[in-house]
Amino acid sequence: MTKQTRRTHSPAFKAKVALAAVRGEKTLAELAQQYDVHPNQITAWKAQLVGGAAEVFGGSATGTAAPVVDVKVLHAKIGELALENDFLSGALGKAGLLSAKR
Protein backbone atom coordinates (compact mmCIF):
# COMPACT_ATOMS: atom_id res chain seq x y z
CA MET A 1 0.00 0.00 0.00
CA THR A 2 1.49 3.33 -1.04
CA LYS A 3 1.32 6.42 1.08
CA GLN A 4 -0.56 9.37 -0.40
CA THR A 5 0.91 12.82 -0.09
CA ARG A 6 -1.19 15.58 1.41
CA ARG A 7 -2.81 17.94 -1.00
CA THR A 8 -2.70 21.65 -0.33
CA HIS A 9 -5.44 23.78 -1.80
CA SER A 10 -5.10 27.44 -2.66
CA PRO A 11 -7.19 30.00 -0.80
CA ALA A 12 -8.99 30.82 -4.06
CA PHE A 13 -10.01 27.17 -4.51
CA LYS A 14 -11.21 26.95 -0.90
CA ALA A 15 -13.26 30.12 -1.32
CA LYS A 16 -14.81 28.83 -4.54
CA VAL A 17 -15.83 25.53 -2.95
CA ALA A 18 -17.10 27.21 0.24
CA LEU A 19 -19.17 29.71 -1.75
CA ALA A 20 -20.68 26.88 -3.77
CA ALA A 21 -21.61 25.18 -0.49
CA VAL A 22 -23.13 28.38 0.90
CA ARG A 23 -25.23 28.84 -2.23
CA GLY A 24 -26.79 25.43 -1.63
CA GLU A 25 -27.47 24.68 -5.30
CA LYS A 26 -25.82 21.25 -4.96
CA THR A 27 -25.52 18.83 -2.07
CA LEU A 28 -22.28 18.32 -0.20
CA ALA A 29 -21.87 14.91 -1.83
CA GLU A 30 -22.22 16.42 -5.30
CA LEU A 31 -19.74 19.20 -4.48
CA ALA A 32 -17.32 16.67 -3.00
CA GLN A 33 -17.45 14.61 -6.16
CA GLN A 34 -17.18 17.65 -8.43
CA TYR A 35 -14.16 19.19 -6.65
CA ASP A 36 -12.61 15.89 -5.45
CA VAL A 37 -12.67 16.98 -1.81
CA HIS A 38 -14.10 15.21 1.25
CA PRO A 39 -17.51 16.53 2.38
CA ASN A 40 -16.19 17.17 5.90
CA GLN A 41 -13.53 19.44 4.43
CA ILE A 42 -16.17 21.38 2.51
CA THR A 43 -18.16 21.80 5.73
CA ALA A 44 -15.06 23.12 7.52
CA TRP A 45 -14.30 25.62 4.75
CA LYS A 46 -17.94 26.73 4.75
CA ALA A 47 -17.79 27.32 8.51
CA GLN A 48 -14.58 29.33 8.11
CA LEU A 49 -16.19 31.43 5.41
CA VAL A 50 -19.32 32.13 7.42
CA GLY A 51 -17.33 32.77 10.61
CA GLY A 52 -14.91 35.16 8.92
CA ALA A 53 -17.50 37.07 6.91
CA ALA A 54 -17.85 39.73 9.62
CA GLU A 55 -14.15 40.59 9.32
CA VAL A 56 -14.60 41.38 5.63
CA PHE A 57 -17.00 44.17 6.52
CA GLY A 58 -14.90 45.59 9.35
CA GLY A 59 -16.57 43.77 12.24
CA SER A 60 -13.26 42.91 13.88
CA ALA A 61 -10.35 45.32 13.70
CA THR A 62 -7.80 43.30 15.68
CA GLY A 63 -5.16 43.09 12.96
CA THR A 64 -5.75 46.52 11.45
CA ALA A 65 -4.91 48.70 14.48
CA ALA A 66 -1.86 50.89 13.91
CA PRO A 67 0.95 50.45 16.43
CA VAL A 68 1.36 53.24 18.96
CA VAL A 69 4.38 55.40 18.10
CA ASP A 70 6.20 57.46 20.72
CA VAL A 71 7.26 60.58 18.84
CA LYS A 72 9.59 61.77 21.63
CA VAL A 73 11.65 58.59 21.41
CA LEU A 74 11.90 58.92 17.63
CA HIS A 75 13.02 62.58 17.87
CA ALA A 76 15.65 61.60 20.44
CA LYS A 77 16.95 58.88 18.14
CA ILE A 78 17.11 61.33 15.20
CA GLY A 79 19.10 63.78 17.34
CA GLU A 80 21.45 61.04 18.46
CA LEU A 81 22.11 59.89 14.88
CA ALA A 82 22.61 63.46 13.66
CA LEU A 83 25.16 64.09 16.43
CA GLU A 84 26.95 60.86 15.56
CA ASN A 85 27.06 61.79 11.85
CA ASP A 86 28.49 65.23 12.64
CA PHE A 87 31.14 63.74 14.91
CA LEU A 88 32.18 61.09 12.40
CA SER A 89 32.31 63.52 9.48
CA GLY A 90 34.53 65.84 11.57
CA ALA A 91 36.82 62.98 12.52
CA LEU A 92 37.12 61.84 8.92
CA GLY A 93 37.78 65.42 7.79
CA LYS A 94 40.63 65.78 10.32
CA ALA A 95 42.09 62.47 9.21
CA GLY A 96 42.01 63.59 5.58
CA LEU A 97 39.70 60.81 4.49
CA LEU A 98 36.72 63.06 3.80
CA SER A 99 37.72 65.78 1.34
CA ALA A 100 34.34 67.13 0.20
CA LYS A 101 31.55 68.21 2.52
CA ARG A 102 27.98 67.46 1.57
Side-chain angles (χ1 to χ4, degrees):
M1 189 168 164
T2 60
K3 186 176 179 181
Q4 283 186 333
T5 59
R6 293 188 91 149
R7 294 187 298 173
T8 55
H9 301 286
S10 70
F13 176 77
K14 293 177 185 180
K16 181 171 72 170
V17 174
L19 282 173
V22 168
R23 282 190 205 110
E25 295 171 356
K26 294 183 178 181
T27 64
L28 283 178
E30 291 172 340
L31 290 173
Q33 187 177 15
Q34 178 182 351
Y35 293 110
D36 192 29
V37 177
H38 196 275
N40 290 344
Q41 187 66 61
I42 295 174
T43 304
W45 291 342
K46 180 181 173 182
Q48 282 181 335
L49 178 68
V50 171
E55 294 175 6
V56 172
F57 296 106
S60 174
T62 56
T64 59
V68 178
V69 178
D70 190 8
V71 178
K72 289 182 181 180
V73 173
L74 293 176
H75 282 291
K77 187 66 174 177
I78 290 170
E80 179 185 328
L81 292 173
L83 184 66
E84 187 177 328
N85 281 342
D86 290 343
F87 172 77
L88 291 175
S89 66
L92 287 174
K94 288 180 183 177
L97 298 174
L98 184 66
S99 61
K101 285 250 181 187
R102 290 186 204 181

